[in-house]
Amino acid sequence: MPDSIVIIPTYNEKENIERMIRKVFSLPHDFHLLIIDDGSPDGTNIIVKNLMNVYPERLFIEERAGKQGLGTAYIHGFKWSIARQYDYIFEMDADFSHNPDDLLKLRQACIDGADAAIGSRYSNGVNVVNWPMSRVLMSYFASVYVRFITGIDVHDSTAGFMCYKRKVLETVRLDKIKFVGYAFQIEMKYTTIKHGFKLVEVPIIFTDRTAGTSKMSTGIFKEAFFGVIQMKINSIFRKYPEG
């Protein structure tokens, strides 16, 4: 049984998903791949199911009805992966903003002692390509804001490129993770640290998508901005067992 599973949530990613699947399976490690598709009307799910014949027992899909949010997609994937006893469980986008080659670096960071590894845009300067300056500044200062409010020493708290050891996801009470947008990424990192796990940032270069449409919205940003304060307040009244 391979030890690593990559979870990719999708909604209307027909321009990217086949290239992404083939790229992950070309890497010099035997990754499995789980696609969580939220009812893409563009046929993303059909592309994946056709490729399951090419990559049997390596490529899997879970189909859900309608857009239910990034956070719920990952939690669905986490529970699926825990049940199948994968040791290293990854989050990654479908649009090549995350370089699949960096999966190997995140996995190695966990082998070397991290309990979770972040593919970080901001741990070594600002490593973002093709984003407008307004979005770079919004993303960068969002992480500065999170550090200020929560006190966690993470430079890229909204990053969606992650590797978790299974024991982290078994310990964190996934049903208590409430946020569904980018605040989900903040909440997962904060909760991981509060449980006493070691989180390491691995520098990556983030490249904005060249195909398909971004899922970023004002509502997602507001959830992250106001949710951080609520998360910090709630944590005062919650006991976190050590990892």
Side-chain angles (χ1 to χ4, degrees), residues 92-128:
M92 190 172 71
D93 291 345
D95 61 8
F96 284 90
S97 55
H98 302 143
N99 184 345
D101 290 331
D102 290 332
L103 289 166
L104 299 167
K105 294 198 296 186
L106 296 182
R107 181 175 177 274
Q108 190 61 49
C110 286
I111 290 171
D112 291 342
D115 296 308
I118 304 172
S120 179
R121 297 164 289 188
Y122 307 127
S123 62
N124 185 21
V126 176
N127 294 305
V128 176

PDB file of all heavy atoms in Angstrom, residues 92-128:
ATOM      1  N   MET A  92      -3.755  19.995  -2.347  1.00  0.00           N
ATOM      2  CA  MET A  92      -3.175  20.720  -3.477  1.00  0.00           C
ATOM      3  C   MET A  92      -4.279  21.201  -4.405  1.00  0.00           C
ATOM      4  O   MET A  92      -5.315  20.555  -4.537  1.00  0.00           O
ATOM      5  CB  MET A  92      -2.202  19.819  -4.245  1.00  0.00           C
ATOM      6  CG  MET A  92      -1.382  20.559  -5.285  1.00  0.00           C
ATOM      7  SD  MET A  92      -0.071  19.536  -6.016  1.00  0.00           S
ATOM      8  CE  MET A  92      -1.046  18.429  -7.007  1.00  0.00           C
ATOM      9  N   ASP A  93      -4.044  22.343  -5.079  1.00  0.00           N
ATOM     10  CA  ASP A  93      -4.988  22.856  -6.068  1.00  0.00           C
ATOM     11  C   ASP A  93      -4.801  22.146  -7.403  1.00  0.00           C
ATOM     12  O   ASP A  93      -3.723  21.615  -7.702  1.00  0.00           O
ATOM     13  CB  ASP A  93      -4.792  24.357  -6.260  1.00  0.00           C
ATOM     14  CG  ASP A  93      -5.211  25.163  -5.040  1.00  0.00           C
ATOM     15  OD1 ASP A  93      -5.909  24.610  -4.176  1.00  0.00           O
ATOM     16  OD2 ASP A  93      -4.825  26.350  -4.961  1.00  0.00           O
ATOM     17  N   ALA A  94      -5.843  22.214  -8.227  1.00  0.00           N
ATOM     18  CA  ALA A  94      -5.823  21.535  -9.527  1.00  0.00           C
ATOM     19  C   ALA A  94      -5.210  22.377 -10.632  1.00  0.00           C
ATOM     20  O   ALA A  94      -4.963  21.859 -11.731  1.00  0.00           O
ATOM     21  CB  ALA A  94      -7.260  21.159  -9.931  1.00  0.00           C
ATOM     22  N   ASP A  95      -4.965  23.662 -10.384  1.00  0.00           N
ATOM     23  CA  ASP A  95      -4.704  24.610 -11.469  1.00  0.00           C
ATOM     24  C   ASP A  95      -3.225  24.880 -11.759  1.00  0.00           C
ATOM     25  O   ASP A  95      -2.906  25.813 -12.498  1.00  0.00           O
ATOM     26  CB  ASP A  95      -5.423  25.926 -11.177  1.00  0.00           C
ATOM     27  CG  ASP A  95      -4.940  26.575  -9.876  1.00  0.00           C
ATOM     28  OD1 ASP A  95      -3.956  26.086  -9.284  1.00  0.00           O
ATOM     29  OD2 ASP A  95      -5.550  27.577  -9.459  1.00  0.00           O
ATOM     30  N   PHE A  96      -2.332  24.106 -11.151  1.00  0.00           N
ATOM     31  CA  PHE A  96      -0.883  24.246 -11.332  1.00  0.00           C
ATOM     32  C   PHE A  96      -0.306  25.493 -10.667  1.00  0.00           C
ATOM     33  O   PHE A  96       0.852  25.842 -10.903  1.00  0.00           O
ATOM     34  CB  PHE A  96      -0.476  24.195 -12.814  1.00  0.00           C
ATOM     35  CG  PHE A  96      -0.508  22.809 -13.387  1.00  0.00           C
ATOM     36  CD1 PHE A  96      -1.679  22.327 -13.965  1.00  0.00           C
ATOM     37  CD2 PHE A  96       0.585  21.975 -13.336  1.00  0.00           C
ATOM     38  CE1 PHE A  96      -1.738  21.045 -14.483  1.00  0.00           C
ATOM     39  CE2 PHE A  96       0.545  20.691 -13.843  1.00  0.00           C
ATOM     40  CZ  PHE A  96      -0.622  20.218 -14.422  1.00  0.00           C
ATOM     41  N   SER A  97      -1.104  26.180  -9.833  1.00  0.00           N
ATOM     42  CA  SER A  97      -0.497  27.233  -9.007  1.00  0.00           C
ATOM     43  C   SER A  97       0.462  26.604  -8.001  1.00  0.00           C
ATOM     44  O   SER A  97       1.422  27.238  -7.565  1.00  0.00           O
ATOM     45  CB  SER A  97      -1.578  28.045  -8.296  1.00  0.00           C
ATOM     46  OG  SER A  97      -2.432  27.217  -7.534  1.00  0.00           O
ATOM     47  N   HIS A  98       0.192  25.354  -7.631  1.00  0.00           N
ATOM     48  CA  HIS A  98       1.118  24.553  -6.835  1.00  0.00           C
ATOM     49  C   HIS A  98       1.848  23.606  -7.776  1.00  0.00           C
ATOM     50  O   HIS A  98       1.215  22.862  -8.534  1.00  0.00           O
ATOM     51  CB  HIS A  98       0.364  23.744  -5.777  1.00  0.00           C
ATOM     52  CG  HIS A  98      -0.455  24.581  -4.845  1.00  0.00           C
ATOM     53  ND1 HIS A  98      -1.682  24.183  -4.356  1.00  0.00           N
ATOM     54  CD2 HIS A  98      -0.218  25.812  -4.323  1.00  0.00           C
ATOM     55  CE1 HIS A  98      -2.163  25.120  -3.573  1.00  0.00           C
ATOM     56  NE2 HIS A  98      -1.298  26.113  -3.532  1.00  0.00           N
ATOM     57  N   ASN A  99       3.148  23.622  -7.736  1.00  0.00           N
ATOM     58  CA  ASN A  99       3.959  22.767  -8.604  1.00  0.00           C
ATOM     59  C   ASN A  99       3.971  21.343  -8.047  1.00  0.00           C
ATOM     60  O   ASN A  99       4.453  21.116  -6.930  1.00  0.00           O
ATOM     61  CB  ASN A  99       5.382  23.325  -8.664  1.00  0.00           C
ATOM     62  CG  ASN A  99       6.275  22.563  -9.616  1.00  0.00           C
ATOM     63  OD1 ASN A  99       5.954  21.455 -10.036  1.00  0.00           O
ATOM     64  ND2 ASN A  99       7.405  23.142  -9.957  1.00  0.00           N
ATOM     65  N   PRO A 100       3.451  20.363  -8.790  1.00  0.00           N
ATOM     66  CA  PRO A 100       3.424  18.988  -8.272  1.00  0.00           C
ATOM     67  C   PRO A 100       4.793  18.457  -7.865  1.00  0.00           C
ATOM     68  O   PRO A 100       4.885  17.599  -6.974  1.00  0.00           O
ATOM     69  CB  PRO A 100       2.837  18.191  -9.439  1.00  0.00           C
ATOM     70  CG  PRO A 100       2.058  19.185 -10.234  1.00  0.00           C
ATOM     71  CD  PRO A 100       2.811  20.481 -10.105  1.00  0.00           C
ATOM     72  N   ASP A 101       5.864  18.955  -8.485  1.00  0.00           N
ATOM     73  CA  ASP A 101       7.204  18.504  -8.094  1.00  0.00           C
ATOM     74  C   ASP A 101       7.482  18.779  -6.618  1.00  0.00           C
ATOM     75  O   ASP A 101       8.254  18.065  -5.975  1.00  0.00           O
ATOM     76  CB  ASP A 101       8.274  19.208  -8.943  1.00  0.00           C
ATOM     77  CG  ASP A 101       8.275  18.744 -10.389  1.00  0.00           C
ATOM     78  OD1 ASP A 101       7.895  17.582 -10.642  1.00  0.00           O
ATOM     79  OD2 ASP A 101       8.637  19.548 -11.262  1.00  0.00           O
ATOM     80  N   ASP A 102       6.832  19.809  -6.068  1.00  0.00           N
ATOM     81  CA  ASP A 102       7.070  20.177  -4.673  1.00  0.00           C
ATOM     82  C   ASP A 102       6.406  19.219  -3.689  1.00  0.00           C
ATOM     83  O   ASP A 102       6.683  19.293  -2.478  1.00  0.00           O
ATOM     84  CB  ASP A 102       6.583  21.605  -4.410  1.00  0.00           C
ATOM     85  CG  ASP A 102       7.458  22.644  -5.086  1.00  0.00           C
ATOM     86  OD1 ASP A 102       8.658  22.383  -5.285  1.00  0.00           O
ATOM     87  OD2 ASP A 102       6.937  23.735  -5.421  1.00  0.00           O
ATOM     88  N   LEU A 103       5.557  18.328  -4.162  1.00  0.00           N
ATOM     89  CA  LEU A 103       5.008  17.287  -3.282  1.00  0.00           C
ATOM     90  C   LEU A 103       6.136  16.499  -2.626  1.00  0.00           C
ATOM     91  O   LEU A 103       6.051  16.120  -1.451  1.00  0.00           O
ATOM     92  CB  LEU A 103       4.109  16.329  -4.077  1.00  0.00           C
ATOM     93  CG  LEU A 103       2.770  16.880  -4.560  1.00  0.00           C
ATOM     94  CD1 LEU A 103       2.169  15.928  -5.598  1.00  0.00           C
ATOM     95  CD2 LEU A 103       1.802  17.074  -3.399  1.00  0.00           C
ATOM     96  N   LEU A 104       7.196  16.267  -3.373  1.00  0.00           N
ATOM     97  CA  LEU A 104       8.322  15.494  -2.856  1.00  0.00           C
ATOM     98  C   LEU A 104       9.020  16.237  -1.717  1.00  0.00           C
ATOM     99  O   LEU A 104       9.437  15.623  -0.729  1.00  0.00           O
ATOM    100  CB  LEU A 104       9.312  15.208  -3.986  1.00  0.00           C
ATOM    101  CG  LEU A 104       8.750  14.398  -5.163  1.00  0.00           C
ATOM    102  CD1 LEU A 104       9.707  14.446  -6.352  1.00  0.00           C
ATOM    103  CD2 LEU A 104       8.492  12.958  -4.751  1.00  0.00           C
ATOM    104  N   LYS A 105       9.116  17.575  -1.840  1.00  0.00           N
ATOM    105  CA  LYS A 105       9.757  18.365  -0.779  1.00  0.00           C
ATOM    106  C   LYS A 105       8.911  18.388   0.491  1.00  0.00           C
ATOM    107  O   LYS A 105       9.442  18.314   1.606  1.00  0.00           O
ATOM    108  CB  LYS A 105      10.006  19.790  -1.269  1.00  0.00           C
ATOM    109  CG  LYS A 105      11.010  19.905  -2.397  1.00  0.00           C
ATOM    110  CD  LYS A 105      11.542  21.313  -2.560  1.00  0.00           C
ATOM    111  CE  LYS A 105      10.496  22.299  -2.958  1.00  0.00           C
ATOM    112  NZ  LYS A 105      11.055  23.647  -3.263  1.00  0.00           N
ATOM    113  N   LEU A 106       7.595  18.485   0.334  1.00  0.00           N
ATOM    114  CA  LEU A 106       6.716  18.490   1.501  1.00  0.00           C
ATOM    115  C   LEU A 106       6.752  17.140   2.203  1.00  0.00           C
ATOM    116  O   LEU A 106       6.807  17.076   3.447  1.00  0.00           O
ATOM    117  CB  LEU A 106       5.281  18.823   1.086  1.00  0.00           C
ATOM    118  CG  LEU A 106       5.041  20.216   0.500  1.00  0.00           C
ATOM    119  CD1 LEU A 106       3.553  20.404   0.195  1.00  0.00           C
ATOM    120  CD2 LEU A 106       5.519  21.302   1.434  1.00  0.00           C
ATOM    121  N   ARG A 107       6.742  16.079   1.442  1.00  0.00           N
ATOM    122  CA  ARG A 107       6.813  14.733   2.037  1.00  0.00           C
ATOM    123  C   ARG A 107       8.132  14.554   2.783  1.00  0.00           C
ATOM    124  O   ARG A 107       8.162  14.010   3.893  1.00  0.00           O
ATOM    125  CB  ARG A 107       6.658  13.669   0.951  1.00  0.00           C
ATOM    126  CG  ARG A 107       6.698  12.236   1.463  1.00  0.00           C
ATOM    127  CD  ARG A 107       6.407  11.250   0.336  1.00  0.00           C
ATOM    128  NE  ARG A 107       6.513   9.882   0.826  1.00  0.00           N
ATOM    129  CZ  ARG A 107       7.638   9.187   0.892  1.00  0.00           C
ATOM    130  NH1 ARG A 107       8.777   9.740   0.487  1.00  0.00           N
ATOM    131  NH2 ARG A 107       7.640   7.956   1.351  1.00  0.00           N
ATOM    132  N   GLN A 108       9.225  15.015   2.182  1.00  0.00           N
ATOM    133  CA  GLN A 108      10.535  14.862   2.825  1.00  0.00           C
ATOM    134  C   GLN A 108      10.595  15.652   4.125  1.00  0.00           C
ATOM    135  O   GLN A 108      11.202  15.197   5.106  1.00  0.00           O
ATOM    136  CB  GLN A 108      11.648  15.327   1.874  1.00  0.00           C
ATOM    137  CG  GLN A 108      13.047  14.985   2.372  1.00  0.00           C
ATOM    138  CD  GLN A 108      13.262  13.485   2.520  1.00  0.00           C
ATOM    139  OE1 GLN A 108      12.958  12.710   1.601  1.00  0.00           O
ATOM    140  NE2 GLN A 108      13.768  13.060   3.672  1.00  0.00           N
ATOM    141  N   ALA A 109       9.958  16.815   4.167  1.00  0.00           N
ATOM    142  CA  ALA A 109       9.946  17.604   5.404  1.00  0.00           C
ATOM    143  C   ALA A 109       9.272  16.835   6.530  1.00  0.00           C
ATOM    144  O   ALA A 109       9.717  16.889   7.684  1.00  0.00           O
ATOM    145  CB  ALA A 109       9.231  18.934   5.169  1.00  0.00           C
ATOM    146  N   CYS A 110       8.216  16.098   6.200  1.00  0.00           N
ATOM    147  CA  CYS A 110       7.541  15.291   7.221  1.00  0.00           C
ATOM    148  C   CYS A 110       8.368  14.065   7.595  1.00  0.00           C
ATOM    149  O   CYS A 110       8.406  13.680   8.769  1.00  0.00           O
ATOM    150  CB  CYS A 110       6.148  14.896   6.730  1.00  0.00           C
ATOM    151  SG  CYS A 110       4.972  16.276   6.748  1.00  0.00           S
ATOM    152  N   ILE A 111       9.050  13.463   6.642  1.00  0.00           N
ATOM    153  CA  ILE A 111       9.950  12.352   6.953  1.00  0.00           C
ATOM    154  C   ILE A 111      11.060  12.826   7.888  1.00  0.00           C
ATOM    155  O   ILE A 111      11.483  12.110   8.806  1.00  0.00           O
ATOM    156  CB  ILE A 111      10.554  11.777   5.654  1.00  0.00           C
ATOM    157  CG1 ILE A 111       9.467  11.045   4.842  1.00  0.00           C
ATOM    158  CG2 ILE A 111      11.710  10.825   5.952  1.00  0.00           C
ATOM    159  CD1 ILE A 111       9.921  10.635   3.463  1.00  0.00           C
ATOM    160  N   ASP A 112      11.506  14.072   7.689  1.00  0.00           N
ATOM    161  CA  ASP A 112      12.613  14.624   8.472  1.00  0.00           C
ATOM    162  C   ASP A 112      12.199  15.133   9.849  1.00  0.00           C
ATOM    163  O   ASP A 112      13.029  15.676  10.574  1.00  0.00           O
ATOM    164  CB  ASP A 112      13.287  15.762   7.695  1.00  0.00           C
ATOM    165  CG  ASP A 112      14.039  15.259   6.469  1.00  0.00           C
ATOM    166  OD1 ASP A 112      14.327  14.052   6.398  1.00  0.00           O
ATOM    167  OD2 ASP A 112      14.323  16.092   5.569  1.00  0.00           O
ATOM    168  N   GLY A 113      10.913  15.014  10.181  1.00  0.00           N
ATOM    169  CA  GLY A 113      10.524  15.355  11.548  1.00  0.00           C
ATOM    170  C   GLY A 113       9.331  16.259  11.727  1.00  0.00           C
ATOM    171  O   GLY A 113       8.812  16.396  12.839  1.00  0.00           O
ATOM    172  N   ALA A 114       8.872  16.917  10.655  1.00  0.00           N
ATOM    173  CA  ALA A 114       7.683  17.762  10.776  1.00  0.00           C
ATOM    174  C   ALA A 114       6.443  16.880  10.891  1.00  0.00           C
ATOM    175  O   ALA A 114       6.386  15.785  10.321  1.00  0.00           O
ATOM    176  CB  ALA A 114       7.559  18.683   9.571  1.00  0.00           C
ATOM    177  N   ASP A 115       5.451  17.365  11.621  1.00  0.00           N
ATOM    178  CA  ASP A 115       4.153  16.693  11.656  1.00  0.00           C
ATOM    179  C   ASP A 115       3.260  17.179  10.523  1.00  0.00           C
ATOM    180  O   ASP A 115       2.361  16.457  10.077  1.00  0.00           O
ATOM    181  CB  ASP A 115       3.459  16.952  13.001  1.00  0.00           C
ATOM    182  CG  ASP A 115       4.243  16.360  14.163  1.00  0.00           C
ATOM    183  OD1 ASP A 115       4.572  15.163  14.106  1.00  0.00           O
ATOM    184  OD2 ASP A 115       4.531  17.099  15.123  1.00  0.00           O
ATOM    185  N   ALA A 116       3.512  18.393  10.071  1.00  0.00           N
ATOM    186  CA  ALA A 116       2.813  18.946   8.913  1.00  0.00           C
ATOM    187  C   ALA A 116       3.758  19.914   8.219  1.00  0.00           C
ATOM    188  O   ALA A 116       4.564  20.582   8.862  1.00  0.00           O
ATOM    189  CB  ALA A 116       1.535  19.663   9.338  1.00  0.00           C
ATOM    190  N   ALA A 117       3.669  19.978   6.891  1.00  0.00           N
ATOM    191  CA  ALA A 117       4.537  20.852   6.106  1.00  0.00           C
ATOM    192  C   ALA A 117       3.681  21.748   5.220  1.00  0.00           C
ATOM    193  O   ALA A 117       2.733  21.285   4.587  1.00  0.00           O
ATOM    194  CB  ALA A 117       5.507  20.031   5.255  1.00  0.00           C
ATOM    195  N   ILE A 118       4.039  23.030   5.184  1.00  0.00           N
ATOM    196  CA  ILE A 118       3.342  24.017   4.367  1.00  0.00           C
ATOM    197  C   ILE A 118       4.203  24.342   3.149  1.00  0.00           C
ATOM    198  O   ILE A 118       5.383  24.655   3.283  1.00  0.00           O
ATOM    199  CB  ILE A 118       3.122  25.332   5.137  1.00  0.00           C
ATOM    200  CG1 ILE A 118       2.367  25.095   6.438  1.00  0.00           C
ATOM    201  CG2 ILE A 118       2.397  26.358   4.275  1.00  0.00           C
ATOM    202  CD1 ILE A 118       2.299  26.350   7.320  1.00  0.00           C
ATOM    203  N   GLY A 119       3.604  24.305   1.966  1.00  0.00           N
ATOM    204  CA  GLY A 119       4.238  24.882   0.790  1.00  0.00           C
ATOM    205  C   GLY A 119       4.061  26.384   0.872  1.00  0.00           C
ATOM    206  O   GLY A 119       2.994  26.919   0.561  1.00  0.00           O
ATOM    207  N   SER A 120       5.094  27.099   1.315  1.00  0.00           N
ATOM    208  CA  SER A 120       4.962  28.484   1.742  1.00  0.00           C
ATOM    209  C   SER A 120       5.445  29.479   0.694  1.00  0.00           C
ATOM    210  O   SER A 120       6.568  29.393   0.197  1.00  0.00           O
ATOM    211  CB  SER A 120       5.752  28.702   3.039  1.00  0.00           C
ATOM    212  OG  SER A 120       5.662  30.038   3.466  1.00  0.00           O
ATOM    213  N   ARG A 121       4.585  30.457   0.410  1.00  0.00           N
ATOM    214  CA  ARG A 121       4.924  31.529  -0.535  1.00  0.00           C
ATOM    215  C   ARG A 121       5.754  32.620   0.111  1.00  0.00           C
ATOM    216  O   ARG A 121       6.413  33.395  -0.595  1.00  0.00           O
ATOM    217  CB  ARG A 121       3.634  32.152  -1.082  1.00  0.00           C
ATOM    218  CG  ARG A 121       2.766  31.192  -1.878  1.00  0.00           C
ATOM    219  CD  ARG A 121       1.351  31.738  -2.054  1.00  0.00           C
ATOM    220  NE  ARG A 121       0.609  31.708  -0.783  1.00  0.00           N
ATOM    221  CZ  ARG A 121      -0.696  31.987  -0.689  1.00  0.00           C
ATOM    222  NH1 ARG A 121      -1.387  32.312  -1.759  1.00  0.00           N
ATOM    223  NH2 ARG A 121      -1.288  31.937   0.497  1.00  0.00           N
ATOM    224  N   TYR A 122       5.726  32.725   1.458  1.00  0.00           N
ATOM    225  CA  TYR A 122       6.249  33.908   2.129  1.00  0.00           C
ATOM    226  C   TYR A 122       7.305  33.616   3.195  1.00  0.00           C
ATOM    227  O   TYR A 122       7.709  34.528   3.911  1.00  0.00           O
ATOM    228  CB  TYR A 122       5.087  34.681   2.775  1.00  0.00           C
ATOM    229  CG  TYR A 122       3.970  35.001   1.807  1.00  0.00           C
ATOM    230  CD1 TYR A 122       2.656  34.651   2.094  1.00  0.00           C
ATOM    231  CD2 TYR A 122       4.228  35.634   0.599  1.00  0.00           C
ATOM    232  CE1 TYR A 122       1.627  34.925   1.213  1.00  0.00           C
ATOM    233  CE2 TYR A 122       3.209  35.913  -0.293  1.00  0.00           C
ATOM    234  CZ  TYR A 122       1.906  35.560   0.022  1.00  0.00           C
ATOM    235  OH  TYR A 122       0.898  35.830  -0.877  1.00  0.00           O
ATOM    236  N   SER A 123       7.761  32.387   3.301  1.00  0.00           N
ATOM    237  CA  SER A 123       8.760  32.077   4.320  1.00  0.00           C
ATOM    238  C   SER A 123      10.161  32.512   3.904  1.00  0.00           C
ATOM    239  O   SER A 123      11.057  32.605   4.726  1.00  0.00           O
ATOM    240  CB  SER A 123       8.763  30.577   4.633  1.00  0.00           C
ATOM    241  OG  SER A 123       9.120  29.833   3.483  1.00  0.00           O
ATOM    242  N   ASN A 124      10.329  32.789   2.618  1.00  0.00           N
ATOM    243  CA  ASN A 124      11.639  33.213   2.106  1.00  0.00           C
ATOM    244  C   ASN A 124      11.427  34.340   1.096  1.00  0.00           C
ATOM    245  O   ASN A 124      11.615  34.170  -0.100  1.00  0.00           O
ATOM    246  CB  ASN A 124      12.351  32.019   1.462  1.00  0.00           C
ATOM    247  CG  ASN A 124      13.757  32.353   1.015  1.00  0.00           C
ATOM    248  OD1 ASN A 124      14.351  33.310   1.502  1.00  0.00           O
ATOM    249  ND2 ASN A 124      14.291  31.571   0.084  1.00  0.00           N
ATOM    250  N   GLY A 125      10.980  35.489   1.609  1.00  0.00           N
ATOM    251  CA  GLY A 125      10.589  36.580   0.723  1.00  0.00           C
ATOM    252  C   GLY A 125       9.178  36.365   0.202  1.00  0.00           C
ATOM    253  O   GLY A 125       8.370  35.681   0.817  1.00  0.00           O
ATOM    254  N   VAL A 126       8.877  36.957  -0.954  1.00  0.00           N
ATOM    255  CA  VAL A 126       7.569  36.796  -1.594  1.00  0.00           C
ATOM    256  C   VAL A 126       7.786  36.072  -2.911  1.00  0.00           C
ATOM    257  O   VAL A 126       8.400  36.622  -3.838  1.00  0.00           O
ATOM    258  CB  VAL A 126       6.885  38.161  -1.826  1.00  0.00           C
ATOM    259  CG1 VAL A 126       5.572  37.979  -2.573  1.00  0.00           C
ATOM    260  CG2 VAL A 126       6.659  38.878  -0.503  1.00  0.00           C
ATOM    261  N   ASN A 127       7.324  34.832  -2.980  1.00  0.00           N
ATOM    262  CA  ASN A 127       7.560  33.996  -4.162  1.00  0.00           C
ATOM    263  C   ASN A 127       6.242  33.707  -4.870  1.00  0.00           C
ATOM    264  O   ASN A 127       5.699  32.605  -4.806  1.00  0.00           O
ATOM    265  CB  ASN A 127       8.247  32.691  -3.748  1.00  0.00           C
ATOM    266  CG  ASN A 127       9.645  32.939  -3.201  1.00  0.00           C
ATOM    267  OD1 ASN A 127      10.470  33.544  -3.864  1.00  0.00           O
ATOM    268  ND2 ASN A 127       9.888  32.478  -1.980  1.00  0.00           N
ATOM    269  N   VAL A 128       5.725  34.736  -5.546  1.00  0.00           N
ATOM    270  CA  VAL A 128       4.449  34.639  -6.257  1.00  0.00           C
ATOM    271  C   VAL A 128       4.652  35.163  -7.676  1.00  0.00           C
ATOM    272  O   VAL A 128       5.231  36.230  -7.873  1.00  0.00           O
ATOM    273  CB  VAL A 128       3.345  35.452  -5.546  1.00  0.00           C
ATOM    274  CG1 VAL A 128       2.058  35.410  -6.344  1.00  0.00           C
ATOM    275  CG2 VAL A 128       3.116  34.929  -4.133  1.00  0.00           C
TER     276      VAL A 128
END
